[in-house]
Amino acid sequence: MMGRKDGQMQLIAINLETLVPENHLLRKINQLVDLSFIYDKLTPCYSKKAAPPLTLFCGFDLWDKVPDHSLFSQNRRRRFGDSSVLVEIFNHIVRECIQKGIVTGEAVVSDDSFVPANVASYSFEKVTKEVEQSCIHYLDALDEELHKQVVYKKSTPVAKEKTIPKSTTDIDCGYSSQENKGGFGYLA
């Protein structure tokens, strides 16, 4: 059936809770991590006459104007450039996420472009080697800060065997099993 839009304004009611999946990571963080400490940390960085600081999990409604992304990056560069407050906030949140079991530090996420290697798909062998598991880079700073605590106990890396596909024609390329960019290639 063919119809025409009449331009009639519509009024709809939306429950924001239905727009975010039940198992979304941000729901877990919001439920388990107390972020109220951020206001105390940031208060000295703001003028008494300025608007209240915007922080993570701002609680915007659909009708609220969302600040331009540059507000956050400019604040980081200008207001917090000489301060360690953002690192302290980051470390505090990571520490709480680890304590609550939200993150483990076992998975690494990077923003890279996949460049396919010029190798035949059948020219690979599976290589098993022992790798050392340890915390990823950003946790090193957290370890250093925690080391200053009296109850701190240094973690030791765990050795594991890992089997990975290796190209027999191009030993420098790696293997990606991601849906959109699977196969042998490089990350650039």
Side-chain angles (χ1 to χ4, degrees):
M1 179 172 183
M2 189 168 108
R4 293 183 182 203
K5 300 242 179 213
D6 61 4
Q8 177 68 36
M9 187 180 285
Q10 298 178 14
L11 179 65
I12 58 172
I14 296 176
N15 180 356
L16 290 177
E17 292 294 313
T18 61
L19 298 178
V20 181
E22 209 46 53
N23 62 347
H24 197 280
L25 174 64
L26 294 179
R27 279 192 184 271
K28 284 184 185 177
I29 292 171
N30 195 37
Q31 291 168 357
L32 298 174
V33 178
D34 178 16
L35 300 173
S36 62
F37 76 97
I38 295 173
Y39 290 100
D40 293 334
K41 285 253 186 215
L42 293 181
T43 299
C45 299
Y46 286 85
S47 166
K48 303 281 187 250
K49 298 176 184 175
L54 290 171
T55 58
L56 302 164
F57 295 89
C58 296
F60 290 121
D61 287 318
L62 281 177
W63 52 86
D64 291 337
K65 184 176 183 318
V66 177
D68 188 81
H69 68 88
S70 66
L71 173 73
F72 293 102
S73 60
Q74 292 301 327
N75 264 343
R76 187 185 73 241
R77 191 171 62 80
R78 293 179 183 160
R79 189 182 308 257
F80 307 119
D82 297 331
S83 170
S84 64
V85 69
L86 294 181
V87 173
E88 292 170 20
I89 289 171
F90 179 79
N91 287 342
H92 184 102
I93 292 171
V94 169
R95 192 179 316 115
E96 275 206 48
C97 287
I98 290 170
Q99 289 171 351
K100 305 285 181 164
I102 298 171
V103 296
T104 62
E106 292 175 1
V108 177
V109 177
S110 67
D111 186 12
D112 295 319
S113 296
F114 181 74
V115 180
N118 190 15
V119 297
S121 59
Y122 59 84
S123 68
F124 77 92
E125 61 186 357
K126 292 195 175 187
V127 177
T128 302
K129 62 181 183 178
E130 195 170 282
V131 295
E132 205 174 76
Q133 273 190 317
S134 65
C135 297
I136 56 180
H137 171 69
Y138 71 86
L139 290 178
D140 291 341
L142 180 61
D143 282 342
E144 188 176 318
E145 182 182 321
L146 289 174
H147 185 66
K148 297 172 188 171
Q149 304 292 323
V150 178
V151 294
Y152 177 74
K153 180 181 176 187
K154 185 173 169 81
S155 63
T156 54
V158 177
K160 279 177 88 171
E161 272 196 0
K162 184 175 184 178
T163 302
I164 55 171
K166 227 23 192 158
S167 171
T168 56
T169 55
D170 185 353
I171 59 171
D172 293 327
C173 69
Y175 185 81
S176 172
S177 58
Q178 289 186 358
E179 225 175 273
N180 298 348
K181 45 187 168 184
F184 289 104
Y186 306 90
L187 293 178

